[in-house]
Amino acid sequence: MKILVTGGLGFIGSHTVVALQSKGYEVVIIDNLSNSTLNVLKGITSISKKTPIFEKLDMRDKTDLKKFFLKHKDIDGVIHFAASKAVGESVVNPLLYYENNIATLTYLLQNLTELTQQNLIFSSSCTVYGEADNLPVLEEAPVKKAISPYGNTKQIGEEIIKDSCSAHSNLKAISLRYFNPIGAHPTAAIGELPSGTPQNLVPFITQTAIGKREKLSVFGNDYPTADGTCVRDYIHVMDLAEAHVVALERLISSKSEMNYEVFNVGTGVGSSVLEVVSAFEKTSGEKLNYHIVDRREGDVIAAYADTTKANEILGWKAKRTLSQALEDAWRWEQQTVLQ
Ligand code: WQD
């Protein structure tokens, strides 16, 4: 079976390509290389010994996308990662986010609804919940007003897909609401490639430990949590990748009567920033240089998943621990210095 992975050279996309290939799927990647490089294709091939079909394509180009689907009529499923994902950037440049995350999604859906039967996995985010009233967060928790245009594009994206599935009986979809993806493939052949200064915690930690950054700034320790720092659900990117394959197989096998479903994808465990720091120090043996600074605008106090639905309906559960993810992230950081 042939699976299209849009944004397949990105962080989660590349790990999902490897997970698909390990299950025997043929993979076609489209990526505009705006946030990745062709080295990632080499990394994927070095792991799976199979080179995915790659086409450099910007999904904002409606004509190019149409041509792609005329050429690849035998696609059995699509996993859609291609999007911009920097929360802060989205506040400064919302129109880039509405074009790149929403317009491209509508072009993709227009192509899919013209095919006989299509199965779509959508990369969504726990950011749709905002500051959830109850923890762990259930899929039924109310979607709250997005605190950034990025978060808004995920909320709108889910609604567009849901409406499209209702209107087109040949389209089925699952939205996966990720919590905090971290880590890298254990071979360190692929991993997270933040462009410029990392916005996310774990790449900032590993870049500090390797000496690329002078020290980690912990954004606030006066939150109402056990140690005052924010709590998140950090999930190994390989667990997340495997969840995409399981969700896709649920659609392809038509196990679900529903034409649209939503699943949380996390570990179900919350860890504070300082707990991640100390877990990293234990795992790496490195003493991390950090200081406490003011809170970051837009941060929620705590977010971690109720994963019962994915566990019971998808039959999927995160297997890897926080320490394993930090160990893999650290190995990846160390080998990027060698490159
Ligand atoms: C985690 C915690 C920070 C950096 C974001 C997006 C979300 C998803 C995952 C795309 C917070 C603290 C961070 C630093 C710090 N992305 N932190 N110092 O904000 O939970 O989620 O990435 O889908 O949509 O919102 O992740 O890693 O940025 O922050 O103290 O240098 O680490 O305050 O408490 P976040 P994060």
Side-chain angles (χ1 to χ4, degrees):
M1 283 199 165
K2 193 175 183 180
I3 307 299
L4 166 61
V5 181
T6 75
L9 294 186
F11 174 38
I12 304 165
S14 55
H15 290 78
T16 302
V17 168
V18 165
L20 284 164
Q21 290 180 315
S22 72
K23 294 292 289 291
Y25 290 97
E26 186 194 355
V27 177
V28 187
I29 294 173
I30 57 176
D31 200 303
N32 66 2
L33 298 178
S34 64
N35 193 19
S36 184
T37 73
L38 283 174
N39 280 338
V40 177
L41 201 54
K42 276 193 225 137
I44 291 169
T45 307
S46 74
I47 295 168
S48 64
K49 311 300 176 227
K50 284 173 281 188
T51 303
I53 301 165
F54 170 69
E55 297 204 14
K56 185 173 184 295
L57 193 154
D58 189 319
M59 293 178 73
R60 287 172 293 193
D61 187 325
K62 214 174 166 180
T63 314
D64 275 0
L65 192 59
K66 181 90 198 144
K67 275 190 213 143
F68 172 87
F69 277 98
L70 289 174
K71 183 175 156 191
H72 295 276
K73 291 185 186 299
D74 54 346
I75 293 218
D76 300 289
V78 181
I79 304 184
H80 181 46
F81 292 104
S84 302
K85 61 149 203 155
V87 174
E89 182 189 45
S90 76
V91 176
V92 175
N93 193 349
L95 287 176
L96 166 73
Y97 275 68
Y98 288 116
E99 183 190 37
N100 198 36
N101 294 11
I102 300 293
T104 56
L105 175 62
T106 56
Y107 301 156
L108 174 66
L109 289 166
Q110 283 162 346
N111 281 285
L112 296 187
T113 50
E114 283 159 20
L115 299 172
T116 44
Q117 171 60 37
Q118 258 319 320
N119 304 294
L120 172 68
I121 303 295
F122 178 61
S123 162
S124 189
S125 167
C126 64
T127 203
V128 303
Y129 298 116
E131 187 79 72
D133 301 326
N134 301 302
L135 290 172
V137 195
L138 284 161
E139 285 85 353
E140 293 69 36
V143 168
K144 294 210 172 159
K145 177 157 177 27
I147 47 171
S148 70
Y150 160 75
N152 208 20
T153 66
K154 290 302 177 185
Q155 291 181 3
I156 298 167
E158 288 191 6
E159 291 303 307
I160 291 172
I161 293 168
K162 192 172 162 190
D163 291 346
S164 303
C165 291
S166 303
H168 300 274
S169 58
N170 60 330
L171 177 64
K172 289 198 300 179
I174 287 178
S175 287
L176 297 180
R177 290 175 178 168
Y178 310 159
F179 281 70
N180 287 59
I182 61 168
H185 193 272
T187 60
I190 53 175
E192 193 166 4
L193 280 169
S195 47
T197 310
Q199 299 305 305
N200 296 129
L201 177 64
V202 170
F204 208 108
I205 287 178
T206 56
Q207 287 194 12
T208 303
I210 203 99
K212 275 185 198 164
R213 307 284 160 196
E214 195 236 328
K215 62 182 156 191
L216 169 74
S217 298
V218 173
F219 297 138
N221 68 346
D222 57 351
Y223 285 96
T225 62
D227 63 16
T229 61
C230 295
V231 172
R232 295 289 184 276
D233 182 333
Y234 296 96
I235 176 171
H236 195 296
V237 64
M238 282 313 296
D239 277 327
L240 180 57
E242 289 159 8
H244 286 78
V245 181
V246 173
L248 183 71
E249 288 175 339
R250 176 173 170 81
L251 293 182
I252 289 176
S253 65
S254 308
K255 275 210 190 94
S256 151
E257 275 73 58
M258 322 260 284
N259 60 13
Y260 177 70
E261 294 176 287
V262 176
F263 292 94
N264 285 338
V265 186
T267 65
V269 176
S271 303
S272 74
V273 175
L274 291 181
E275 282 170 334
V276 174
V277 169
S278 63
F280 176 79
E281 290 181 326
K282 263 194 217 92
T283 303
S284 64
E286 303 284 331
K287 184 89 190 76
L288 197 75
N289 185 16
Y290 70 90
H291 65 152
I292 308 292
V293 299
D294 291 341
R295 295 181 173 191
R296 178 173 68 175
E297 187 68 28
D299 273 336
V300 298
I301 301 167
Y304 50 95
D306 181 307
T307 58
T308 312
K309 191 177 173 188
N311 302 157
E312 290 180 359
I313 295 182
L314 290 184
W316 168 90
K317 187 168 175 51
K319 298 188 293 236
R320 298 158 179 93
T321 62
L322 174 67
S323 297
Q324 279 173 287
L326 293 169
E327 187 185 332
D328 292 339
W330 180 225
R331 188 180 307 109
W332 163 250
E333 185 67 63
Q334 289 171 299
Q335 75 78 36
T336 44
V337 169
L338 304 177
Q339 264 183 2

